Amino acid sequence: MIYYKTDEEIELIRKSSLLVGKTLAEVARHIKPGVTTLELDKIAETFIRDHKAVPGFKGYGGFPGTLCVSVNDVVVHGIPGKQVLKDGDLVSVDCGAILNGFYGDSAYSFAVGQVNEEVKLLMERTKQSLYLGIDSAKAGKRIGDIGFGIQTYVESFGYSVVRDLVGHGLGRNLHEKPEVPNYGKRGVGTMLQPGLVICIEPMINLGRKQIKQDKDGWTIRTSDGMPSAHFEHAIAINEGKTDILSSFEEIEKVLESIK
Ligand code: MG
Ligand code: MG
């Protein structure tokens, strides 16, 4: 079943999601060649706990990290570890936090040093596809409209949409109903109604859509070894304009300042 949220609950999810945005901004300050993915994870965990919240991913289904740190051909669910980031890497960082009993969840893809033009465009267009998905997420529309908006845009560049992993409802649980695919048909699926809080999170591959999982049981990679980007916002459907609960503002301030 779908849990529709009250205005008060939506405000709590906003607080959790904004904390995630601030955490990703803190991580962004430290993304550079030479840093390990585990170092980034520690920075995020400390930041979340300093803000009287709890890492949302740590221990979730047995996941060991505060962050999912996914480099280059890793789509999502990369486990923080000894991997050293190097110039030209694309690193997708996904973060969750629990504050006042509600989850926040958001993700951003970063360039380490200078990435090549192809990767830069993949990142920009994946982010743009997220906002197109959000534009399609209005009361009275359906889940399929969101995926249609994302898929149509990214496929026009020859990219592909990962099928096996999708967005989700968000609230007292990290993953609630409904599923929110990043592909789909107009006018199909669950009707979007006020009080619905969902995460839209396009995972877009430069090459083919197929993915595979490492033996660690988590790491998801593209089967063709080509890079993949990932951006995620939590949003609330209401009567008027759709409300983006998470924010990239703090992240992008940091990125501007270190340019
Ligand atoms: Mg996420
Ligand atoms: Mg999510």
Side-chain angles (χ1 to χ4, degrees):
M1 66 171 279
I2 295 175
Y3 297 100
Y4 293 92
K5 275 73 183 183
T6 63
D7 290 349
E8 290 74 20
E9 289 171 328
I10 289 172
E11 288 317 305
L12 292 174
I13 300 171
R14 189 194 312 279
K15 284 202 173 106
S16 310
S17 295
L18 290 178
L19 175 60
V20 170
K22 289 195 172 112
T23 306
L24 289 172
E26 188 61 24
V27 170
R29 271 182 236 287
H30 296 87
I31 292 181
K32 53 189 76 149
V35 74
T36 68
T37 57
L38 187 61
E39 283 166 341
L40 298 178
D41 192 75
K42 295 293 170 219
I43 287 162
E45 179 169 3
T46 303
F47 190 87
I48 289 170
R49 294 196 192 280
D50 283 351
H51 288 79
K52 311 248 177 300
V54 175
F57 297 170
K58 205 172 174 115
Y60 187 89
F63 189 77
T66 291
L67 301 175
C68 295
V69 187
S70 305
V71 183
N72 296 332
D73 64 317
V74 178
V75 180
V76 286
H77 302 167
I79 299 175
K82 288 182 210 152
Q83 184 171 10
V84 178
L85 296 184
K86 56 185 199 307
D87 189 58
D89 283 343
L90 178 178
V91 60
S92 301
V93 184
D94 195 348
C95 182
I98 313 164
L99 185 62
N100 302 311
F102 285 87
Y103 279 87
D105 185 12
S106 184
Y108 201 94
S109 290
F110 300 90
V112 183
Q114 294 296 322
V115 295
N116 69 35
E117 189 62 17
E118 201 175 39
V119 168
K120 189 165 166 255
L121 287 172
L122 174 70
M123 289 168 55
E124 285 172 9
R125 290 163 175 169
T126 301
K127 186 167 79 168
Q128 178 62 17
S129 79
L130 166 59
Y131 287 106
L132 292 174
I134 293 170
D135 284 347
S136 307
K138 293 198 177 79
K141 295 241 192 186
R142 292 180 183 271
I143 286 288
D145 292 297
I146 299 172
F148 178 83
I150 295 168
Q151 181 181 12
T152 312
Y153 178 71
V154 300
E155 287 184 350
S156 74
F157 302 105
Y159 303 154
S160 58
V161 176
V162 172
R163 300 296 201 275
D164 317 65
L165 298 148
V166 295
H168 50 90
L170 182 73
R172 289 191 182 279
N173 303 293
L174 178 58
H175 296 125
E176 297 186 356
K177 294 280 175 205
E179 291 194 343
V180 185
N182 300 298
Y183 58 92
K185 292 194 167 65
R186 275 183 181 147
V188 171
T190 304
M191 171 89 73
L192 305 175
Q193 297 179 56
L196 182 68
V197 175
I198 51 173
C199 287
I200 302 179
E201 49 178 314
M203 289 151 260
I204 306 302
N205 297 350
L206 185 61
R208 294 169 60 81
K209 63 179 182 289
Q210 284 76 16
I211 56 169
K212 57 185 183 182
Q213 190 172 43
D214 283 4
K215 288 205 179 69
D216 64 17
W218 286 104
T219 311
I220 303 284
R221 295 177 192 273
T222 58
S223 296
D224 61 11
M226 305 241 319
S228 182
H230 179 214
F231 287 84
E232 175 178 22
H233 267 317
I235 66 163
I237 305 295
N238 51 36
E239 297 288 356
K241 198 173 178 302
T242 293
D243 195 358
I244 304 180
L245 305 177
S246 47
S247 173
F248 295 157
E249 209 181 310
E250 301 286 332
I251 299 169
E252 291 176 350
K253 262 191 227 162
V254 170
L255 295 181
E256 271 305 310
S257 72
I258 58 180
K259 243 184 190 170

